[in-house]
């Protein structure tokens, strides 16, 4: 993997949602990181900690509450709708929920073809059909099934339609939100090899959101751990797994299920005590417990080269 | 162990434009009382269709049960009226669906969706049901459950929706729980917590569980027996020890080999099973794995292999495992 200049720069990004009763839900609460061209940054964390929201806000599918996202040096939140549309071609997302994100009335050809049409990449009818078939083959689906509808596929097959759609427009940056969790492990391996191969050939850059920590370790150059809307640890993947520092990271790594009944039978998990209310902040309850310290008043500190961990702010 | 569920020679097809998709082609398996059985296998191999047929939840048409029996507590589910089935569903057999969005109603608040089930099946009062629903949400690790009770599904994260659905399925304490990829969208700590909730329910109430999952780590931790499916058939089944420590079928071996290991060196590529599964509109007459199998012989393409039995619990369907196999020349 040839890592080049910085492609994505996220700075102080926040996304809040209003919830009932004057409450504010700080789904993404001040995150900053950058990703180099050709790099894969893994993003892991508790369910509901804000990973998908972060992904959507980075692509401006949600307007951020605060902060900026620069793509190739350009602040995308300042772009006009027309410029943003063109930019969308370079930045794609594979969605977590393959059911909700595929139009049930469209055939597979239409779903993938639509992406091509939007960016005027389809060419003649024949070329369009050929490109769709090529993409289906690439993700391990039978091109003969191009005329079928999403509900006629299994969960994992639908996920692959979403992957084919994202790849259709030759993007530079892809946010993969749980792209493989619905697939069996042999197809996971196929898809991950495909993503890695495309990265090597075309220099693609990935933000890879997943719960499967073995796979995240495999695919990522660096890994960021999120907890309650914030990044609590970030390091090179080997370093993070060998030397986790934040209590939440330690809990997470201790809970990885190992495909060996003998190891599973003797496993000890670290239980993470958390008495907080999660990311909902009401007027009455403004602070949040991140275990042993106040996350709201924390900062990322570089403890060794490239290894950052969240600590209470000094002073 | 006395079986609570027996699936016998089940065949399920779908009518589509190009013909008939033979999604399930002769499934046989049993689930004992208090037992946890995992169904693993190729994406598209018929796991969800099998589960939904047991629940009688796939619409017909386009689906057709071509033949077979599904005995639940000795009675054939396929012969029940819709009304009888309605009473069984949710109460005696609970299901956690692979896709939370299709089973949660997007227009109804999460809390109400849980209380509705409790009021209907457990005859609880509205007040009791609310208390129990909040308890259930807490049990599956949803923080601030009182506030979350009033939110809509789209206000939940992917994993939270999945947990809401688990709460619904567990609320009525079914005697058989079918969990289709219950924890795929969850981080490993919450996954472990939910597995504990299921195990705890099983210990207290003797619940039987069918767990459909791609996560072989979860299988190793949670299940008693494992059924491996490929192209609508069971290709191997055994205790988890037999499957993990002594796998026999080339597909099972390939599956175990393709997992990333935590101790794997950086840059070492994963080893997938090359190729794609057969098109189930024209399923092969021989072994469905033949096109991808590096051990395939002539006979494999012509005749579907019989089961070879290794123990009371362990069997696999592959010609190479057949007692007569040594007399067949490779590549013959
Ligand atoms: N449209 C929305 N309206 C209100 N709240 C939302 C909305 N979308 C997400 N949230 C909330 O924001 C928080 C973060 O959700 P998000 O989907 O980003 O989590 P996640 O880390 O992707 O979780 P998972 O691993 O379960 O997919 C959750 O508390 C969720 O309830
Ligand atoms: N409504 C339908 N119409 C036509 N074919 C269908 C329909 N539903 C499912 N199928 C087909 O039946 C087969 C089995 O699907 P099923 O959903 O049971 O797979 P699965 O084993 O659960 O896969 P996954 O692990 O990807 O969820 C697939 O080949 C699928 O394409
Ligand atoms: S029967 Fe033949 S093709 Fe099928 S798994 Fe065995 S060796 Fe391979
Ligand atoms: Mg998510
Ligand atoms: Mg399925």
């Amino acid at each position: 993997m040839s890592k080049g200049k910085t492609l994505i720069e996220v700075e102080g990004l926040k996304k809040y949602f209003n919830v009932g009763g004057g409450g504010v839900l700080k789904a993404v609460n001040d995150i900053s990181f950058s990703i180099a061209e050709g790099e894969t940054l893994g993003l892991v964390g508790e369910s509901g900690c804000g990973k998908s929201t972060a992904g959507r806000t980075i692509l401006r599918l949600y307007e951020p509450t605060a902060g900026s996202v620069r793509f190739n040096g350009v602040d995308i939140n300042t772009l006009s709708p027309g410029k943003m549309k063109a930019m969308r071609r370079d930045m794609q997302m594979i969605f977590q929920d393959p059911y909700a994100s595929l139009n049930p009335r469209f055939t597979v050809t239409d779903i993938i073809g639509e992406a091509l049409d939007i960016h005027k990449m389809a060419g003649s009818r024949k070329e369009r059909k050929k490109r769709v078939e090529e993409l289906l083959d690439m993700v391990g689906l039978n091109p003969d099934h191009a005329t079928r509808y999403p509900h006629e596929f299994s969960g994992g097959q639908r996920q692959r339609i979403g992957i084919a759609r994202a790849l259709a427009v030759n993007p530079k940056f892809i946010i993969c939100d749980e792209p493989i969790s619905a697939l069996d492990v042999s197809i996971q391996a196929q898809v991950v090899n495909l993503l890695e191969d495309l990265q090597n050939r075309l220099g693609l850059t990935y933000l890879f959101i997943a719960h499967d920590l073995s796979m995240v370790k495999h695919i990522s150059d660096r890994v960021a751990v999120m907890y309650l809307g914030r990044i609590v640890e970030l390091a090179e993947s080997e370093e993070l797994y060998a030397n986790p520092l934040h209590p939440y990271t330690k809990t997470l790594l201790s809970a990885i299920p190992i495909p060996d009944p003998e190891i599973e039978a003797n496993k000890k998990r670290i239980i993470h005590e958390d008495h907080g209310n999660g990311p909902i902040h009401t007027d009455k309850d403004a602070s949040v417990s991140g275990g042993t310290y106040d996350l709201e008043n924390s900062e990322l500190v570089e403890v060794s080269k490239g290894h950052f961990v969240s600590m209470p702010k000094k002073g | 162990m006395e079986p609570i569920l027996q699936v016998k020679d089940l065949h399920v097809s779908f009518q589509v434009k190009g013909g008939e998709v033979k999604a399930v082609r002769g499934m046989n398996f049993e689930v004992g009382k208090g037992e946890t059985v995992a169904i693993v296998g190729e994406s598209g191999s018929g796991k969800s269709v099998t589960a939904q047929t047991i629940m009688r939840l796939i619409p017909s048409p386009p689906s057709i049960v071509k033949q077979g029996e599904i005995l639940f507590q000795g009675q054939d589910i396929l012969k029940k009226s819709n009304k009888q089935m309605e009473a069984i569903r949710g109460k005696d057999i609970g299901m956690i669906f692979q896709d939370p969005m299709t089973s949660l109603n997007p227009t109804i608040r999460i809390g109400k969706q849980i209380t509705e089930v409790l009021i209907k099946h457990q005859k609880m009062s509205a007040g009791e049901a609310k208390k129990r629903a909040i308890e259930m949400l807490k049990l599956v690790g949803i923080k601030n459950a009182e506030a979350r009770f009033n939110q809509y599904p789209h206000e939940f994260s992917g994993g939270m929706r999945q947990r809401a659905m688990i709460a619904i399925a567990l609320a009525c304490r079914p005697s058989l729980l079918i969990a289709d990829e219950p924890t795929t969208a969850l981080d490993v700590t919450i996954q472990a917590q939910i597995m504990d909730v299921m195990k705890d329910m099983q210990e207290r109430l003797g619940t039987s569980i069918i767990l459909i999952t791609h996560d072989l780590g979860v299988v190793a931790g949670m299940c008693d027996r494992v059924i491996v499916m490929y192209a609508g058939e069971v290709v191997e089944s055994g205790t988890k020890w037999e499957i993990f420590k002594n796998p026999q079928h080339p597909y099972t071996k390939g599956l175990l080999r393709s997992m990333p290991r935590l101790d794997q060196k950086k840059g070492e590529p994963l080893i997938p099973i090359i190729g794609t599964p057969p098109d189930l509109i024209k399923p092969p007459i021989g072994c469905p794995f033949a096109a991808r199998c590096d051990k395939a012989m002539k006979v494999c393409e012509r005749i579907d292999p019989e089961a070879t039995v290794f123990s009371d619990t362990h069997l696999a369907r592959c010609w190479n495992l057949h007692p007569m196999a040594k007399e067949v020349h490779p590549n013959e």
Side-chain angles (χ1 to χ4, degrees):
Chain A
M1 259 165 271
S2 61
K3 257 148 269 139
K5 59 178 186 4
T6 300
L7 185 71
I8 301 285
E9 270 178 285
V10 174
E11 228 182 277
L13 195 68
K14 296 183 179 177
K15 178 66 195 172
Y16 295 176
F17 294 105
N18 288 321
V19 291
V24 173
L25 193 150
K26 301 184 177 179
V28 174
N29 193 5
D30 195 1
I31 62 171
S32 304
F33 59 83
S34 60
I35 315 178
E37 207 166 57
E39 188 187 27
T40 301
L41 178 69
L43 183 60
V44 302
E46 194 172 33
S47 162
C49 71
K51 302 178 297 296
S52 298
T53 305
R56 285 168 177 266
T57 314
I58 290 168
L59 292 192
R60 220 179 142 191
L61 299 172
Y62 288 153
E63 290 299 324
T65 305
S68 71
V69 175
R70 277 193 296 279
F71 182 82
N72 247 334
V74 180
D75 184 345
I76 64 164
N77 290 300
T78 61
L79 293 179
S80 66
K83 287 239 172 69
M84 191 61 218
K85 189 180 156 203
M87 186 69 101
R88 283 261 147 79
R89 186 180 143 186
D90 290 336
M91 309 168 77
Q92 287 287 315
M93 182 148 177
I94 300 170
F95 290 94
Q96 178 169 8
D97 191 341
Y99 309 84
S101 64
L102 300 176
N103 188 330
R105 283 180 297 274
F106 278 22
T107 65
V108 172
T109 307
D110 296 333
I111 289 170
I112 299 172
E114 190 194 24
L116 296 169
D117 297 340
I118 290 176
H119 298 290
K120 303 201 170 46
M121 297 172 70
S124 71
R125 265 188 83 93
K126 219 170 121 200
E127 279 164 2
R128 185 177 188 258
K129 182 160 175 280
K130 192 164 153 267
R131 176 76 179 137
V132 169
E133 286 175 356
E134 210 176 86
L135 285 158
L136 289 178
D137 188 54
M138 208 147 94
V139 295
L141 285 176
N142 190 333
D144 295 343
H145 295 175
T147 54
R148 291 198 196 167
Y149 293 90
H151 74 268
E152 298 179 350
F153 290 89
S154 77
Q157 291 166 333
R158 280 182 242 192
Q159 186 61 286
R160 279 178 277 170
I161 300 171
I163 296 174
R165 178 178 58 184
L167 294 176
V169 296
N170 300 325
K172 292 198 178 70
F173 172 58
I174 307 181
I175 296 185
C176 310
D177 193 358
E178 304 264 356
I180 52 167
S181 49
L183 307 176
D184 68 82
V185 287
S186 85
I187 295 174
Q188 285 187 7
Q190 271 184 17
V191 171
V192 166
N193 284 353
L194 169 71
L195 291 173
E196 289 179 328
D197 178 49
L198 288 170
Q199 181 165 56
N200 289 336
R201 279 196 292 139
L202 310 168
L204 297 188
T205 306
Y206 299 128
L207 178 64
F208 192 87
I209 304 173
H211 288 305
D212 180 339
L213 296 163
S214 322
M215 197 57 98
V216 170
K217 177 171 185 237
H218 173 84
I219 198 169
S220 309
D221 299 297
R222 288 181 303 144
V223 177
V225 182
M226 246 180 114
Y227 186 70
L228 293 181
R230 302 179 82 102
I231 291 179
V232 293
E233 189 158 2
L234 192 153
E236 301 238 326
S237 68
E238 300 268 315
E239 162 72 8
L240 186 86
Y241 284 74
N243 194 15
L245 296 174
H246 194 274
Y248 180 68
T249 314
K250 288 183 187 170
T251 315
L252 204 58
L253 295 183
S254 81
I256 301 179
I258 305 294
D260 181 331
E262 213 166 312
I263 298 176
E264 279 296 306
N266 300 311
K267 182 151 95 182
K268 289 210 175 49
R269 280 198 338 255
I270 304 170
I271 307 286
H272 183 71
E273 286 297 332
D274 172 21
H275 307 289
N277 266 337
I280 290 188
H281 298 240
T282 56
D283 295 337
K284 278 179 241 103
D285 164 40
S287 76
V288 59
S289 141
T292 50
Y293 65 100
D294 183 8
L295 258 188
E296 251 335 79
N297 275 309
S298 64
E299 61 188 344
L300 273 183
V301 177
E302 187 166 14
V303 287
S304 61
K305 197 177 173 307
H307 192 156
F308 297 82
V309 64
S310 152
M311 290 185 177
K313 255 188 203 146
K314 293 214 181 71
Chain B
M1 219 180 300
E2 182 194 333
I4 185 166
L5 182 81
Q6 291 167 286
V7 174
K8 294 183 175 169
D9 197 30
L10 185 68
H11 290 251
V12 186
S13 291
F14 292 93
Q15 214 60 55
V16 296
K17 245 190 292 171
E20 181 187 326
V21 178
K22 300 179 188 71
V24 176
R25 308 185 299 137
M27 272 290 271
N28 284 293
F29 70 97
E30 284 185 6
V31 181
K33 197 164 166 5
E35 192 185 27
T36 304
V37 175
I39 305 183
V40 302
E42 187 81 15
S43 172
S45 62
K47 303 180 297 292
S48 298
V49 169
T50 301
Q52 285 166 20
T53 308
I54 296 170
M55 289 295 273
R56 285 258 307 269
L57 278 176
I58 27 178
S60 170
S63 93
I64 322 148
V65 176
K66 303 289 274 193
Q67 69 188 67
E69 284 180 345
I70 300 173
L71 303 180
F72 175 66
Q73 294 173 334
Q75 298 188 17
D76 194 346
I77 280 188
L78 297 172
K79 298 209 173 84
K80 300 264 177 212
S81 70
N82 287 341
K83 192 140 176 254
Q84 286 170 318
M85 209 47 223
E86 186 103 341
I88 292 175
R89 225 181 273 136
K91 184 161 180 281
D92 299 310
I93 311 181
M95 174 140 180
I96 301 167
F97 293 87
Q98 185 170 11
D99 162 23
M101 262 332 226
T102 55
S103 52
L104 290 174
N105 185 331
T107 64
I108 300 179
R109 293 175 201 273
I110 296 282
K112 180 133 192 268
Q113 300 196 43
I114 307 176
T115 53
E116 267 178 356
V117 178
L118 290 167
I119 292 167
K120 181 171 160 209
H121 289 304
Q122 305 283 66
K123 314 273 177 272
M124 285 188 182
S125 70
E128 276 172 323
K130 178 165 184 188
K131 214 173 122 227
R132 179 69 174 284
I134 290 175
E135 218 175 272
M136 290 308 301
L137 286 174
K138 286 189 179 148
L139 204 59
V140 294
I142 295 207
K143 292 172 199 159
N144 211 347
E146 288 83 3
R148 294 290 190 182
F149 185 86
N150 288 317
Q151 284 191 313
Y152 289 96
H154 76 269
E155 297 175 300
F156 272 39
S157 78
M160 287 159 58
R161 280 177 214 149
Q162 205 167 28
R163 282 182 275 163
M165 206 173 44
I166 293 170
I168 294 173
L170 299 185
C172 290
R173 305 186 167 128
S175 40
L176 173 65
L177 176 69
I178 305 177
D180 193 354
E181 302 280 355
T183 57
T184 34
L186 303 178
D187 67 89
V188 289
T189 61
I190 290 176
Q191 171 170 295
Q193 184 181 342
I194 290 201
M195 292 301 159
D196 287 347
V197 172
M198 291 208 230
K199 269 192 231 169
D200 180 59
M201 184 179 79
Q202 182 165 52
E203 270 160 32
R204 282 187 298 123
L205 310 169
T207 316
S208 307
I209 301 175
I210 298 177
L211 181 68
I212 300 174
T213 180
H214 292 307
D215 190 330
L216 297 170
V218 170
V219 173
M222 169 91 188
C223 297
D224 303 309
R225 279 192 305 122
V226 185
I227 292 168
V228 185
M229 279 189 83
Y230 190 84
E233 301 180 348
V234 176
V235 292
E236 182 161 3
S237 66
T239 65
K240 72 175 165 200
W241 298 93
E242 287 165 336
I243 298 294
F244 282 97
K245 297 292 182 187
N246 189 22
Q248 295 293 329
H249 196 280
Y251 174 69
T252 314
K253 290 183 182 171
L255 203 58
L256 291 168
R257 199 166 43 225
S258 56
M259 284 179 302
R261 294 182 326 268
L262 271 175
D263 56 6
Q264 197 161 323
K265 274 208 279 310
K266 194 89 216 146
E268 213 176 288
L270 301 174
I271 314 166
I273 302 171
I274 308 295
T276 46
D279 186 352
L280 294 176
I281 288 192
K282 353 177 227 315
I285 46 168
C287 171
F289 193 57
R292 303 169 77 182
C293 182
D294 53 14
K295 299 250 162 35
M297 306 168 283
K298 273 268 153 59
V299 58
C300 302
E301 280 162 32
R302 292 193 195 134
I303 310 169
D304 204 4
E306 294 159 23
T308 305
V309 175
F310 306 99
S311 76
D312 283 352
T313 43
H314 193 184
L315 64 83
R317 292 171 61 176
C318 166
W319 283 121
N320 258 314
L321 304 168
H322 195 274
M324 312 263 277
K326 284 176 195 74
E327 291 162 34
V328 182
H329 293 290
N331 303 319
E332 240 328 88

